[in-house]
């Protein structure tokens, strides 16, 4: 029989704050992690290519020296920024799970599944610049730009000798990392696994590229599901979870946040950046994650909703379909997106928002969508597209929930969804 899989540790470096607890508190307080590019220390390198009204969700004031010996001087020279972010989040997750020292775990059964959407764009940019001027290419150039080097570096740093894997499925990367790690544990390849993603994507070249792809808002405000939504805000950070085989976690007396009970992933097979209008691929991913679970037992959907016109609408339609929400009736399903507050962390979005989804379940509290004033009403929205869903806005709400579903979609037509179940000690003991 497949093993049951639980979440026992969380670590995050978000545009709001360093650390899961601080990020969660800021999210509930309605704070924004978005900064106008004109206020960045290197503003000119952005405004030379992008409208000054653009905003970004930068991991600000990141100083690796602060992390008490986590990085040697050599590490800092040799690790690219997305790997440094991942290292900070991974240490927090391991410490949170009570697994920081390798004497506490079986190294050969500890896996590391860490993805990235675009890895180290700054190293590529800097190297190309120097190359054109005739400078020598650094021997570290190739290892630094590989997407799987965060997984490689974390394995070395923490002695994780089990499965190593790197997912790169654009903005679904974080979800797919968690989903793959879940399956590795279910199938017995690993007892424990670091799972998540990291992105150091706030760079003038990336911003200019996303602007040309017409994905980014030039207003600098992320407004998921709102009538004024007109694109996402580029952001970065790292979210990492510790997943464990349930029996293994119970034997060592671990604190359990939630159980992962379903995972779905599908392709639209339609267009590289636009979703299917009706959200059909997303609907199938959610249904796959739900499996035999009753949609009515799900209290909350942490939406992917990035604040684009087409994406938010297609997702709302898909959620309505899956949860059978009817017009003119407020259904029980609560929906919110964290992207109003943190922007779009690309590959790391899924992992970061998974952490917020787990915190929602654990604390019976649903964070609101920042900057959501008028639900729907953007160009092409139909009156019924958003009806029947309980969009959480203005402030967080208290809600007892058994299950929460998290959606993540990415360029290339990827859709993924994970179903989390609240961990209930009493229920487990009496079963
Ligand atoms: C997949 O990722 C998305 C975010 O992209 C989630 O909302 C949750 O979804 C958001 C974005 O849709 C993502 O950032 C979070 O990391 C996700 N949270 C978790 C716990 O994964 C969505 O909830 C994710 N889906 C699943 C099933 O986890
Ligand atoms: C991290 O990876 C780089 C290559 O990108 C390598 O040079 C370095 O030694 C690694 N450091 C650790 C601690 O794994």
């Amino acid at each position: 029989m497949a093993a049951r899989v639980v979440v026992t540790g969380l670590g995050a470096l978000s545009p709001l704050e360093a650390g899961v607890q601080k990020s969660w508190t800021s999210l509930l307080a309605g704070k924004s992690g978005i900064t106008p590019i004109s206020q960045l220390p290197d503003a000119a390198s952005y405004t030379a290519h992008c409208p000054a009204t653009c905003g970004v969700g930068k991991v600000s004031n990141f100083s690796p020296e602060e992390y008490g010996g986590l990085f040697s001087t050599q590490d800092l020279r040799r690790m690219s920024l997305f790997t440094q972010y991942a290292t900070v989040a991974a240490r927090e997750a391991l410490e949170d799970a009570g697994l920081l020292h390798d004497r506490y775990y079986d190294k050969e059964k500890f896996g590391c599944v860490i993805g990235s959407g675009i890895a180290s764009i700054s190293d590529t940019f800097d190297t190309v610049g120097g190359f054109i001027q005739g400078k020598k290419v650094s021997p570290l150039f190739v290892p630094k730009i590989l997407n799987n080097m965060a997984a490689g570096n974390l394995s070395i740093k923490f002695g994780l000798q089990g499965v190593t894997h790197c997912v790169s499925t654009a903005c679904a990367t974080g979800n797919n990392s968690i989903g793959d790690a879940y399956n590795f544990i279910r199938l017995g390849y690993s007892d424990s696994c670091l799972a998540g993603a990291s992105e150091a994507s706030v760079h003038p070249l990336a911003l200019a590229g996303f602007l040309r792809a017409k994905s980014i808002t030039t207003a600098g405000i992320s407004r998921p599901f709102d009538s004024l939504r007109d694109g996402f805000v580029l952001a970065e950070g790292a979210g990492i979870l510790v997943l464990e085989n349930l029996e293994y976690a119970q034997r060592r007396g671990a604190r359990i946040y939630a159980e992962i009970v379903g995972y779905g992933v599908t392709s639209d097979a339609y267009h590289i950046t636009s979703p299917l209008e009706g959200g059909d691929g997303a609907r199938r991913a959610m249904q796959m994650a739900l499996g035999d679970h009753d949609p009515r037992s799900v209290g909350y959907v942490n939406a992917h909703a990035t604040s684009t016109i087409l994406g938010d609408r297609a997702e709302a339609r898909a959620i309505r379909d899956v949860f059978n929400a009817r017009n003119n009736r407020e259904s029980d399903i609560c929906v919110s997106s964290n992207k109003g507050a943190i922007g779009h962390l690309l590959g790391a979005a899924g992992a970061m928002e998974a952490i917020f989804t787990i915190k929602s379940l654990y604390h019976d509290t649903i964070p609101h969508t920042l900057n959501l004033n008028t639900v729907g009403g953007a160009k092409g929205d139909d009156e019924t597209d958003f009806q029947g869903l309980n969009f959480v806005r203005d402030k967080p709400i208290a809600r007892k929930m058994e299950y929460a579903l998290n959606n993540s979609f990415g360029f290339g037509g990827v859709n993924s969804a994970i179903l989390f179940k609240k961990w209930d000690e009493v229920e487990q003991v009496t079963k």
Side-chain angles (χ1 to χ4, degrees):
M1 209 181 79
R4 291 170 66 183
V5 182
V6 291
V7 182
T8 57
L10 304 173
L13 189 60
S14 81
L16 285 166
E17 290 281 355
V20 170
Q21 195 50 42
K22 281 188 184 168
S23 294
W24 173 246
T25 307
S26 293
L27 182 74
L28 294 184
K31 291 195 182 151
S32 169
I34 310 301
T35 313
I37 54 173
S38 58
Q39 287 175 21
L40 294 174
D42 50 346
S45 60
Y46 286 85
T47 52
H49 306 279
C50 312
T53 48
C54 286
V56 289
K58 179 116 189 93
V59 170
S60 49
N61 307 317
F62 178 68
S63 53
E65 296 78 11
E66 274 173 25
Y67 293 92
L70 182 58
F71 301 102
S72 66
T73 321
Q74 200 196 41
D75 284 345
L76 292 179
R77 202 165 47 80
R78 290 167 161 260
M79 281 184 181
S80 51
L81 193 58
F82 85 104
T83 297
Q84 294 179 24
Y85 289 174
T87 308
V88 168
R91 186 176 72 169
E92 184 189 359
L94 286 167
E95 193 162 35
D96 188 40
L99 292 172
L100 192 52
H101 300 288
D102 60 14
R103 61 176 179 277
Y104 297 137
Y105 51 79
D106 177 355
K107 292 187 205 185
E108 294 184 7
K109 295 284 282 204
F110 207 124
C112 188
V113 181
I114 308 295
S116 186
I118 52 181
S120 189
I121 196 164
S122 62
D123 282 298
T124 306
F125 182 88
D126 294 345
T127 304
V128 170
F131 189 74
I132 292 170
Q133 291 168 6
K135 285 197 189 140
K136 259 193 179 166
V137 175
S138 159
L140 291 174
F141 171 59
V142 171
K144 272 182 149 181
I145 62 164
L146 297 181
N147 281 43
N148 70 320
M149 204 45 73
N153 275 150
L154 291 186
S155 302
I156 296 171
K157 193 113 206 150
F158 300 108
L160 314 176
Q161 298 174 342
V163 171
T164 180
H165 181 47
C166 164
V167 176
S168 187
T169 43
C171 306
T173 298
N175 292 81
N176 290 155
S177 298
I178 298 168
D180 284 358
Y182 161 68
N183 280 326
F184 286 133
I185 296 175
R186 260 163 47 88
L187 299 176
Y189 284 71
S190 304
D191 287 337
S192 339
C193 205
L194 285 182
S198 182
E199 207 74 82
S201 43
V202 174
H203 186 279
L205 178 61
L207 187 62
F210 280 112
L211 273 165
R212 287 288 287 162
K214 297 201 183 348
S215 309
I216 295 256
T217 172
T218 51
I221 306 175
S222 170
R223 312 170 188 273
F225 299 120
D226 192 83
S227 60
L228 298 176
R229 68 186 192 274
D230 62 353
F232 68 76
V233 171
L234 180 66
E236 63 176 15
I240 294 188
L241 293 75
V242 175
L243 308 187
E244 286 184 73
N245 175 314
L246 172 64
E247 275 178 36
Y248 181 91
Q250 283 180 322
R251 219 179 309 138
R252 68 176 192 93
R255 180 259 335 270
I256 294 172
Y257 282 110
E259 180 173 1
I260 301 185
V261 292
Y263 168 55
V265 57
T266 67
S267 175
D268 280 351
Y270 168 65
H271 186 273
I272 59 159
T273 56
S274 297
L276 280 164
E277 269 281 309
D280 189 58
R283 174 187 62 73
R284 289 186 296 116
M286 284 189 267
Q287 282 170 340
M288 193 185 287
L290 277 170
D292 296 333
H293 295 92
D294 184 349
R296 283 171 301 187
S297 61
V298 177
Y300 172 48
V301 176
N302 179 308
H304 181 68
T306 62
S307 174
T308 63
I309 294 198
L310 295 178
D312 292 14
R313 179 164 68 223
E315 184 171 8
R317 285 177 175 167
I319 297 171
R320 294 185 69 223
D321 275 356
V322 172
F323 295 97
N324 195 22
R326 278 176 273 136
N327 300 344
N328 309 317
R329 196 203 70 180
E330 188 96 326
S331 78
D332 285 338
I333 187 82
C334 293
V335 179
S336 70
S337 163
N338 306 137
K339 292 192 177 73
I342 60 174
H344 189 355
L345 277 68
L346 306 181
M352 187 69 66
E353 291 167 29
I355 290 173
F356 290 141
T357 307
I358 291 164
K359 293 289 275 181
S360 305
L361 267 178
Y362 193 71
H363 298 292
D364 293 314
T365 302
I366 297 177
H368 57 299
T369 303
L370 199 65
N371 305 320
L372 175 54
N373 300 313
T374 309
V375 174
K379 188 163 164 269
D381 285 356
D382 189 87
E383 207 188 320
T384 59
D385 286 337
F386 298 82
Q387 277 179 7
L389 301 175
N390 185 357
F391 287 97
V392 183
R393 49 186 174 148
D394 305 325
K395 58 178 195 313
I397 59 169
R399 165 69 88 99
K400 285 235 177 281
M401 298 173 268
E402 194 181 359
Y403 293 96
L405 186 81
N406 197 357
N407 285 331
S408 241
F409 313 125
F411 281 7
V414 196
N415 309 291
S416 84
I418 300 171
L419 185 64
F420 294 99
K421 183 175 194 294
K422 190 182 179 73
W423 184 254
D424 187 338
E425 289 295 346
V426 182
E427 179 199 351
Q428 296 305 323
V429 172
T430 53
K431 242 181 197 167

